[in-house]
Amino acid sequence: MSDRPMLHFAEMFRAGIGSACVFAFCMFCASMAWAQAPTHANIEYARVNNAPLRLDIYLPATPTSNRPLVIFVHGGGWSSGNKDVVQAGMLPLLNQGYAIASINYRLVNSTDANLYGGMSAVIFPAAVHDVKAAVRFLRANAAVYGFDPNRFGLWGGSAGSHLAAVAGLSTGNIALEGTVGDHVGTSSAVQVIVDGYGPTDILRMGPDASQAGFPGAGWDAPNTSHALLIGCGAQGMGAIRANIDNPAAPWPQCVAQANLANPVLHVDATDPPVWIGHATNDPVVPWPQSQRLYDALLAAAVPTSFVRAATGGHQLGEAQYVQARAFVAAAFAAPLLRDGFE
């Protein structure tokens, strides 16, 4: 890949709220998925500021009860995208008797800020609170839809993978559980996580991009998607990293937010199995981000597999998703066993 397309995709990831680049990024992600009509559409799972959060449910023909459920968290740079298109790599799960849910969550953009109560209501950890609220809603209603409440999974793509990883690896963390929805007493735990090319240590995206062979400055600049996510767009990750020990405002808050948003820092030995897939030539999220998470999972003895494709850009192919689905099946077949994973 030449330097020109590398810079093009880096600039796409740097896109600010509402820009044409975010739109292009969203369209790029949408091209990686297929549309399919849900069995139950636009179900309200929670309200924030009296505005609804909704999800769709896709049910297999059989079985009619005790179905494992995999919950899809869409990508879009945390500022765009929606639940309406499920990632193509997930759809064969329906033929395996699994149910799929696809959720909306609060986005870091002006539209959602106006809807849900201001920009402070949509920056991190708002989206993770929503993901956990969706898990709790679906588990509380497992009998209604025929789910097995003991076999829930999270599956994300890109920014959605980041949210899935943070939500799935932080069970019981009060700051990340939140109080969204009517089922706060229900567990938000999941039994497996699929992370497709998601960011992890967002504070170090720039150095990781350089390691992967891309110009790192674009990821460190102000108003990148990952800086906007934590409410520190004006600063940018490079400046935050340079002021990591600076006690003056706003640096401690920005560092704390970046760390809270880092799934690597939430890993412990009680976590569910995690499958990770990433392409070496991904110009949007550099592959060392996935390596960081994989290394932490290995160190904690969490069942995990990291499939690093040689090519593919900011997506994965069916060959990788075959492995992801097999990993999910193994986790659901024996959720209490920790053998048989890489």
Side-chain angles (χ1 to χ4, degrees), residues 34-338:
W34 294 338
Q36 177 163 324
T39 311
H40 303 284
N42 295 317
I43 300 168
E44 181 178 311
Y45 70 85
R47 282 186 166 254
V48 174
N49 193 37
N50 205 34
L53 291 161
R54 301 187 185 276
L55 58 80
D56 296 335
I57 294 174
Y58 302 77
L59 297 179
T62 56
T64 58
S65 64
N66 205 41
R67 307 176 179 102
L69 172 67
V70 183
I71 302 164
F72 179 56
V73 188
H74 70 79
W78 303 284
S79 63
S80 62
N82 61 66
K83 63 178 174 56
D84 295 343
V85 183
V86 175
Q87 194 174 75
M90 292 188 70
L91 294 182
L93 293 174
L94 293 171
N95 296 329
Q96 296 174 233
Y98 299 176
I100 294 173
S102 182
I103 69 170
N104 276 345
Y105 53 85
R106 280 172 285 175
L107 301 171
V108 185
N109 61 39
S110 58
T111 299
D112 275 21
N114 290 335
L115 185 63
Y116 293 111
M119 194 56 68
S120 63
V122 298
I123 62 171
F124 191 87
V128 168
H129 290 170
D130 297 347
V131 173
K132 286 176 175 281
V135 174
R136 292 193 293 260
F137 171 88
L138 290 162
R139 179 166 279 123
N141 289 279
V144 176
Y145 298 108
F147 304 145
D148 179 351
N150 297 312
R151 291 189 292 172
F152 272 35
L154 284 170
W155 181 307
S158 192
S161 283
H162 166 260
L163 299 176
V166 175
L169 297 173
S170 63
T171 302
N173 185 313
I174 295 174
L176 293 172
E177 289 292 340
T179 57
V180 175
D182 295 332
H183 303 284
V184 292
T186 301
S187 173
S188 68
V190 296
Q191 286 66 57
V192 67
I193 301 166
V194 172
D195 172 354
Y197 45 90
T200 58
D201 188 347
I202 58 174
L203 192 58
R204 294 168 179 83
M205 289 268 277
D208 284 356
S210 297
Q211 180 185 342
F214 301 101
W219 283 263
D220 280 343
N223 295 319
T224 57
S225 296
H226 49 300
L228 292 166
L229 169 71
I230 63 171
C232 295
Q235 288 76 35
M237 289 300 177
I240 297 170
R241 204 167 55 248
N243 287 276
I244 201 164
D245 295 318
N246 188 339
W251 307 115
Q253 176 65 16
C254 289
V255 172
Q257 277 281 82
N259 287 337
L260 187 64
N262 183 355
V264 174
L265 299 182
H266 299 296
V267 170
D268 64 49
T270 67
D271 287 329
V274 182
W275 184 92
I276 305 168
H278 216 133
T280 299
N281 67 339
D282 187 339
V284 178
V285 178
W287 67 263
Q289 288 278 292
S290 286
Q291 187 71 53
R292 289 178 183 275
L293 179 58
Y294 180 62
D295 290 345
L297 292 164
L298 284 180
V302 175
T304 186
S305 179
F306 179 18
V307 176
R308 195 170 131 201
T311 60
H314 193 55
Q315 59 178 305
L316 293 171
E318 175 61 10
Q320 288 79 51
Y321 285 129
V322 166
Q323 297 176 66
R325 295 192 297 269
F327 189 92
V328 170
F332 282 158
L336 298 181
L337 299 179
R338 301 176 70 83

